[in-house]
Amino acid sequence: MRNMAGLIFIRSLLLSLLSGLYFSFPAPACATAYDETITAIDVAGLIRINEDELIDLMSLRIGEGLDRQKLARGIRRAFKKNIFNDIRVISEPSGGGIKLTYFVEEIPLVKKIVLKGNENMPGKLIRKTFYYQEGEDFKKELLQRSRLELIEFYKRKGYPDAAITITVKVDEENALVILYVNIDEGEPFIIKKINADPEVRFILSVTEGGLLDQDRLDRDMIKIEEHYKKKRYVNPVVGPYYFSQGELSVPVHPGPRVHVEFTNNREFSKRKLEKELVFMENEEVSDESVTETADRIRRLYVSRGYLNAQIAAGVERKDDLIKIAFLIFEGEKVILNKIDFTGVSIKTEALKRTLPFAENKPFNRNLLNDSRGLIVRFYNALGHLQADVKEIREDLQDNGREMHLEFIIDEGPRTTITSIEILGNEQIALSDVLDALHLDEGAPYNVIDIGDARRRVLSLYRRSGFLDADIDVKHDIDNNNASLIFRINEKRPSLVGKVILSGNRKTKAKIVNRELILAEGERYNYDHLTQVKQRLYQLGIFSEVSIDVLEPGIVKGDEVVKDVLITLKEGKSGSMEISLGYGDYEEARGSLGVSYNNLGGYNRQIGFRAEVSSVERRYIVNFREPWLFNWDYVPLKIFLIREEKRAINIETRSVLYKIDKQSFIAGIEKEIADGLKIGLDYEYSFTDTKDVEEDVILSREDTGTLVISSVSPSLFYDARDNPFDPSSGSLQRIVVKYASKALVSEAEFIKGSFLSSWYLKLMNPVVFAFSVRGGAAYGFGDNEEIPLIERFFLGGRATVRGYSNDALGPKGDDDNPTGGNVFALTNAELRFSLGKGFGLVTFIDAGNVWKTIDDVQDELKYTAGAGLRYNTPVGPIRVDYGHKMNKEEGDSSGEVHFSFGHAF
């Protein structure tokens, strides 16, 4: 496509230049030349992008004089968007100057693909194979090729006489085309009979009476070959299959079969040893391949410390069967008990850390030669350029069970950097260059460190706009003294030119442009380019983003202006999520979510989610505007929620009360520092509370329909390293909810809560997690008791494990929990990683709920317990058992909890 667009551009440019680029018009009778000042600019034929974007790319402005070179560069820029077939520029006199009109011919988009005549072939499969896709560019020159590819597709699917024609209907006004694909499938090839061994027929996916699908047959040939290889046949020959007069024949020549036996293998299983069979890899049984296999098996044993392992192999051939027997003499396992170094002046612990083996582990002699190179490279990094490992002495002890290694090392003289000279730095201060080097006189001479220093200085220059800068490093070593000269060729600094967007078919240019942190005319900063790329990916609407600074630039004095091309590939905007799970309180539960992430091309998100369990049904419609009123990163979130909830006694499963609630929530938030956000939510809800147990009723709002209108300011700080499975950092949150008749609320209260969670990695597999939560609510107005749905409850898998859901705190006459206005909660966990995704947790929880602030006492309910975890990409699946440490009479000793995600 790029080549095609380039040819079109060259044609247009040559024609324009030959005609003077602009239509000329007659001079006045006095023969005075007309003024070439641009008085007006018009655009014709443009549909896919905004006119302002094209005019900006052209770079000509009203009031400026006509610059033909600038115009030619603008046309080249516009073609890089890959949406134009042709661009023509026409001038005409207007208002004492000239009016420019840009006539563009866009590459049309495929609006719709209509399939006709595909009676036996699924349309979805044809569309997947078809070159053209709805919503993508229509390239006319590929029409014949796409037709032939469809015919070939039909032939491979068993329709040899298929005929296809494609009719194009063009909507020039909207730059759209509709493709009508007319298909005459013809008579298919039907398999009437299959000639093949029963073993082969069992593998074949094609059947008698079915189509001769060559794609499926090709896959079947591979499966058949793999089948025979798994059965230890060497170099089986499958096919080629042939079809004649309805009969499909699949010949197979399995070749000789290999039977392998291992004797005396205690350390490794037969399956493990079979992975070393060379003759099964190269499909040839020869004396060389058997010997190589024996050697590989011996090296495998040596890697586990069996230095004296011996492997004997025997081969017996009879007809099409080859028997190979490996007799294994494992010997004693050797443990590396001590490593010594002779001739060294540095700490031996540092040297030991460079080695590929460790003390008190099985000695792997296979790695002995590698250890030489590792030690030499370590010394080279310290400036010992002539260091060498003269000898490695092995001393077997304890009747051959233990190994003592001694490395005899000649460190050689140490080469140090005695001088560093910087030349050519005119635009950047010497102190800044030296800071970037991170090299000091007296430091060891190390070519790797010097190379890294050169790259750091180049990075400094490129962050400062010198994209073409180059650095040459001269090394001069004399008598173990190294002199370094960094010669910098700064060249001209580069300025940002035009930003050209390509590939944003649905997404509006303004959505991309507002993520840019580089402006036309400022110096380039490569870090900014990287940040722009990250920000565009974080939008979640692009699957690929590439940013290229275009060469050559335009020299302007001591600077060069370079355009930047941002090429985008939009990902799928729609998504669906289905989940199933089980919880100790909800029992079976599931959810379905559907979302669209680029509504109207403005990165607006809309979605629907349904969550269903035995105790709750929740339906949510959500909308997100990422930049409210075009304010930088101030998203607006709107939710419409319907909830149907039953609060139950988990032991008896009896219903304590039912809630039907409809809510409207609108909220904004703003990140004011890294990880720190402030937010403000407004909620208006109708709540119908019914079937309430008598002992749960505390206020007149606890039954019937209640309207609550509230605002909730919040402060949120997240410094966790991983929100799903944190191992370091902290999470802080404060939320205040205020409901008042001034906001048209029937209930009046103020309610605040806070959370502070901390995570600390004690050692590699162990994380300590600690959390403190608390809250208080105060009702005012006609009733100081806050409504049931706004009270605090504790107990269950995410609060105080060991107690059933909502079981803590005040209770009614029938011992049903009523919730309270105040709560306090603390949790502490030790999280151990067991490997392969599994983990173990030990925990202590403490918390309680009180009816009012006056009822708060020191008494907390404590539980201790342990749990198992299995990690997934979005958090662990967990099972916890909590044991009550100060249970009351009649309480159970503890509870088991099943859930998803960490408790905090």
Side-chain angles (χ1 to χ4, degrees):
M1 182 59 200
R2 289 184 176 179
N3 292 336
M4 191 67 188
L7 291 173
I8 293 170
F9 165 70
I10 292 170
R11 184 200 70 189
S12 302
L13 188 59
L14 288 174
L15 288 174
S16 300
L17 291 174
L18 288 173
S19 61
L21 191 60
Y22 312 96
F23 288 142
S24 60
F25 47 88
C30 62
T32 302
Y34 67 88
D35 187 1
E36 286 196 333
T37 299
I38 301 171
T39 57
I41 298 176
D42 199 4
V43 180
L46 190 65
I47 298 171
R48 293 180 60 173
I49 63 173
N50 187 281
E51 286 187 6
D52 292 339
E53 184 179 354
L54 178 63
I55 292 172
D56 181 64
L57 290 174
M58 292 298 189
S59 293
L60 296 177
R61 299 287 185 269
I62 294 175
E64 295 179 351
L66 181 61
D67 185 332
R68 288 170 172 77
Q69 289 186 345
K70 184 183 286 188
L71 181 59
R73 288 194 296 268
I75 293 174
R76 286 196 292 268
R77 285 194 199 101
F79 269 112
K80 289 187 180 296
K81 290 188 67 63
N82 289 324
I83 64 171
F84 297 115
N85 273 328
D86 196 9
I87 300 174
R88 293 178 293 116
V89 184
I90 295 179
S91 69
E92 56 186 338
S94 174
I98 59 172
K99 173 185 177 183
L100 296 183
T101 303
Y102 304 137
F103 287 91
V104 301
E105 178 188 329
E106 295 182 336
I107 299 172
L109 293 176
V110 178
K111 179 183 178 181
K112 192 176 182 180
I113 298 173
V114 181
L115 303 178
K116 294 183 178 180
N118 57 310
E119 297 179 359
N120 300 303
M121 191 66 64
K124 185 177 181 180
L125 189 58
I126 296 174
R127 292 176 188 276
K128 183 179 180 180
T129 306
F130 197 34
Y131 175 83
Y132 298 105
Q133 299 294 315
E134 292 178 356
E136 296 188 359
D137 292 339
F138 172 69
K139 303 171 186 178
K140 187 176 181 179
E141 66 274 12
L142 297 175
L143 195 61
Q144 176 66 2
R145 172 181 155 187
S146 64
R147 186 184 73 86
L148 295 176
E149 286 178 350
L150 269 187
I151 291 175
E152 179 62 24
F153 165 76
Y154 257 96
K155 285 182 178 179
R156 292 193 61 79
K157 292 301 180 184
Y159 294 87
D161 301 321
I164 296 174
T165 59
I166 302 175
T167 305
V168 181
K169 182 180 179 181
V170 181
D171 180 358
E172 295 182 355
E173 182 177 349
N174 297 307
L176 298 172
V177 300
I178 299 176
L179 300 180
Y180 294 90
V181 182
N182 302 293
I183 303 170
D184 180 2
E185 294 180 332
E187 292 295 324
F189 275 163
I190 302 298
I191 301 172
K192 298 177 182 178
K193 184 179 179 182
I194 297 177
N195 298 317
D197 290 339
E199 189 173 1
V200 173
R201 292 192 63 171
F202 180 77
I203 299 171
L204 288 173
S205 61
V206 295
T207 59
E208 293 178 354
L211 289 171
L212 182 71
D213 188 327
Q214 296 180 47
D215 292 331
R216 293 174 65 180
L217 271 170
D218 288 344
R219 291 192 294 268
D220 288 345
M221 297 301 102
I222 296 173
K223 290 179 181 179
I224 293 168
E225 184 177 347
E226 290 175 347
H227 168 76
Y228 280 99
K229 286 182 177 180
K230 287 180 180 178
K231 294 183 69 174
R232 299 284 184 223
Y233 286 93
V234 178
N235 198 20
V237 178
V238 179
Y241 62 83
Y242 54 91
F243 182 80
S244 177
Q245 297 181 349
E247 292 191 13
L248 173 66
S249 299
V250 184
V252 176
H253 303 283
R257 188 176 184 181
V258 175
H259 177 72
V260 181
E261 291 183 353
F262 300 97
T263 306
N264 295 337
N265 54 304
R266 297 185 301 274
E267 180 71 15
F268 297 103
S269 67
K270 179 181 179 182
R271 178 176 295 182
K272 178 70 174 178
L273 294 175
E274 284 176 343
K275 294 179 180 179
E276 307 298 323
L277 300 179
V278 176
F279 42 81
M280 297 308 301
E281 294 177 5
N282 55 28
E283 301 184 11
E284 180 186 7
V285 178
S286 63
D287 292 343
E288 291 80 6
S289 63
V290 173
T291 300
E292 185 179 352
T293 297
D295 186 60
R296 286 176 59 165
I297 293 174
R298 184 181 180 281
R299 286 180 61 84
L300 180 65
Y301 270 95
V302 171
S303 70
R304 288 280 184 91
Y306 293 90
L307 306 188
N308 298 316
Q310 299 295 323
I311 314 297
V315 180
E316 179 184 350
R317 301 176 185 265
K318 185 177 181 181
D319 298 329
D320 287 334
L321 179 64
I322 303 175
K323 291 184 177 181
I324 304 175
F326 292 97
L327 180 60
I328 300 171
F329 302 92
E330 293 181 342
E332 292 287 345
K333 178 183 285 191
V334 178
I335 303 299
L336 179 59
N337 71 329
K338 190 176 183 181
I339 302 174
D340 278 336
F341 300 91
T342 301
V344 300
S345 60
I346 61 176
K347 292 183 178 180
T348 58
E349 289 304 316
L351 279 170
K352 288 180 181 179
R353 286 195 292 269
T354 68
L355 297 177
F357 33 64
E359 292 174 334
N360 301 316
K361 300 287 184 181
F363 173 53
N364 183 357
R365 184 181 277 158
N366 297 329
L367 301 175
L368 205 56
N369 285 333
D370 293 341
S371 66
R372 289 179 179 267
L374 292 169
I375 291 174
V376 170
R377 284 194 290 274
F378 176 76
Y379 268 101
N380 290 164
L382 297 177
H384 296 270
L385 305 184
Q386 301 174 33
D388 188 22
V389 178
K390 293 295 185 181
E391 185 182 356
I392 304 176
R393 295 174 181 171
E394 297 183 12
D395 183 15
L396 276 172
Q397 301 174 348
D398 191 19
N399 295 323
R401 295 186 181 90
E402 294 183 352
M403 173 65 72
H404 175 198
L405 279 185
E406 183 180 7
F407 290 84
I408 312 300
I409 297 174
D410 180 6
E411 293 182 333
R414 188 184 190 193
T415 301
T416 58
I417 299 172
T418 55
S419 67
I420 301 173
E421 187 176 2
I422 309 297
L423 300 177
N425 59 306
E426 298 178 359
Q427 301 294 322
I428 295 182
L430 177 62
S431 59
D432 293 336
V433 176
L434 291 174
D435 287 344
L437 279 177
H438 289 315
L439 284 179
D440 297 315
E441 294 179 1
Y445 174 85
N446 183 350
V447 292
I448 296 176
D449 290 344
I450 294 168
D452 290 341
R454 176 183 175 274
R455 284 187 286 272
R456 285 193 294 270
V457 176
L458 272 178
S459 177
L460 169 66
Y461 269 89
R462 286 170 181 165
R463 290 197 306 273
S464 303
F466 293 86
L467 303 187
D468 301 321
D470 193 18
I471 300 175
D472 179 59
V473 185
K474 182 180 178 182
H475 310 245
D476 187 8
I477 301 176
D478 182 23
N479 196 25
N480 303 319
N481 296 321
S483 299
L484 303 179
I485 300 176
F486 289 81
R487 192 178 300 277
I488 302 171
N489 184 2
E490 294 180 332
K491 299 182 182 178
R492 292 185 177 91
S494 299
L495 304 183
V496 178
K498 296 294 181 184
V499 178
I500 307 166
L501 305 181
S502 176
N504 53 314
R505 303 177 188 277
K506 301 174 186 176
T507 309
K508 305 299 183 185
K510 65 175 289 187
I511 303 304
V512 179
N513 288 333
R514 69 191 185 188
E515 301 298 329
L516 306 182
I517 53 176
L518 42 88
E520 185 177 352
E522 70 177 17
R523 284 193 179 186
Y524 271 102
N525 183 332
Y526 249 80
D527 287 353
H528 288 174
L529 295 179
T530 302
Q531 291 171 28
V532 167
K533 190 172 184 178
Q534 292 172 344
R535 290 168 68 146
L536 291 175
Y537 270 123
Q538 287 170 359
L539 293 178
I541 55 180
F542 300 115
S543 59
E544 294 180 18
V545 178
S546 65
I547 301 179
D548 299 294
V549 178
L550 301 180
E551 302 287 352
I554 305 166
V555 177
K556 288 189 175 181
D558 294 332
E559 299 171 321
V560 58
V561 180
K562 298 182 179 182
D563 295 335
V564 58
L565 174 65
I566 300 179
T567 305
L568 306 163
K569 183 177 180 181
E570 293 171 331
K572 293 182 179 180
S573 300
S575 64
M576 178 180 290
E577 174 189 323
I578 299 175
S579 66
L580 296 173
Y582 183 86
D584 56 293
Y585 181 68
E586 304 93 336
E587 296 182 336
R589 58 183 178 183
S591 67
L592 169 67
V594 181
S595 64
Y596 187 85
N597 296 330
N598 197 9
L599 189 64
Y602 289 99
N603 194 27
R604 293 168 180 155
Q605 300 164 16
I606 190 169
F608 169 78
R609 182 175 180 84
E611 301 171 354
V612 179
S613 71
S614 63
V615 297
E616 185 175 14
R617 296 175 183 267
R618 201 165 186 240
Y619 308 97
I620 307 168
V621 177
N622 63 80
F623 171 81
R624 184 178 186 271
E625 165 60 64
W627 283 43
L628 179 63
F629 303 131
N630 283 325
W631 295 337
D632 290 2
Y633 294 102
V634 179
L636 168 68
K637 298 179 181 179
I638 296 176
F639 300 89
L640 296 175
I641 305 174
R642 174 175 175 78
E643 297 176 89
E644 301 171 6
K645 180 180 178 181
R646 296 187 309 146
I648 63 171
N649 183 311
I650 195 170
E651 295 178 357
T652 65
R653 306 299 292 184
S654 61
V655 177
L656 304 178
Y657 54 86
K658 296 179 181 178
I659 290 176
D660 287 345
K661 182 178 180 181
Q662 292 84 36
S663 305
F664 167 81
I665 302 173
I668 60 174
E669 64 181 20
K670 173 66 177 177
E671 186 169 11
I672 56 178
D674 189 19
L676 179 62
K677 294 181 181 179
I678 57 173
L680 180 65
D681 290 348
Y682 170 75
E683 179 178 358
Y684 188 85
S685 65
F686 292 89
T687 304
D688 186 16
T689 307
K690 52 191 176 182
D691 298 342
V692 184
E693 291 288 336
E694 288 293 332
D695 62 331
V696 178
I697 299 174
L698 298 179
S699 71
R700 58 184 178 86
E701 288 91 355
D702 288 345
T703 59
T705 302
L706 177 66
V707 175
I708 297 178
S709 178
S710 64
V711 292
S712 299
S714 61
L715 187 65
F716 183 88
Y717 177 70
D718 189 353
R720 296 172 294 176
D721 60 339
N722 182 336
F724 299 112
D725 189 15
S727 61
S728 65
S730 67
L731 174 66
Q732 319 293 330
R733 184 178 66 232
I734 298 175
V735 181
V736 177
K737 185 173 184 178
Y738 174 74
S740 169
K741 289 183 178 179
L743 298 172
V744 199
S745 176
E746 294 180 355
E748 294 187 287
F749 59 87
I750 185 168
K751 175 181 176 182
S753 62
F754 76 91
L755 174 147
S756 180
S757 298
W758 299 82
Y759 308 90
L760 177 65
K761 184 175 287 188
L762 300 181
M763 57 188 73
N764 190 34
V766 183
V767 173
F768 174 67
F770 178 76
S771 179
V772 176
R773 285 175 271 183
Y778 175 73
F780 54 88
D782 296 338
N783 195 335
E784 293 187 359
E785 294 289 348
I786 66 170
L788 175 64
I789 58 171
E790 296 291 345
R791 296 178 204 153
F792 297 115
F793 290 86
L794 285 186
R797 61 176 179 262
T799 56
V800 183
R801 289 160 286 186
Y803 287 88
S804 58
N805 198 68
D806 297 344
L808 284 178
K811 293 181 173 61
D813 295 337
D814 295 331
D815 209 31
N816 290 318
T818 61
N821 292 8
V822 182
F823 85 95
L825 171 66
T826 183
N827 309 91
E829 288 188 348
L830 284 174
R831 300 172 180 175
F832 301 86
S833 174
L834 302 179
K836 296 186 178 181
F838 288 94
L840 174 68
V841 166
T842 60
F843 62 84
I844 295 177
D845 298 336
N848 212 340
V849 179
W850 298 272
K851 186 175 181 181
T852 66
I853 193 73
D854 295 330
D855 299 321
V856 175
Q857 300 175 2
D858 293 335
E859 181 183 358
L860 296 175
K861 296 297 183 181
Y862 292 90
T863 62
L868 290 174
R869 304 286 185 269
Y870 179 74
N871 290 326
T872 73
V874 291
I877 299 171
R878 63 184 174 101
V879 180
D880 290 330
Y881 174 76
H883 176 74
K884 299 183 180 73
M885 299 176 68
N886 52 346
K887 69 185 184 72
E888 297 179 1
E889 185 177 351
D891 282 348
S892 63
S893 59
E895 298 285 343
V896 177
H897 303 280
F898 302 89
S899 189
F900 186 85
H902 284 293
F904 60 95

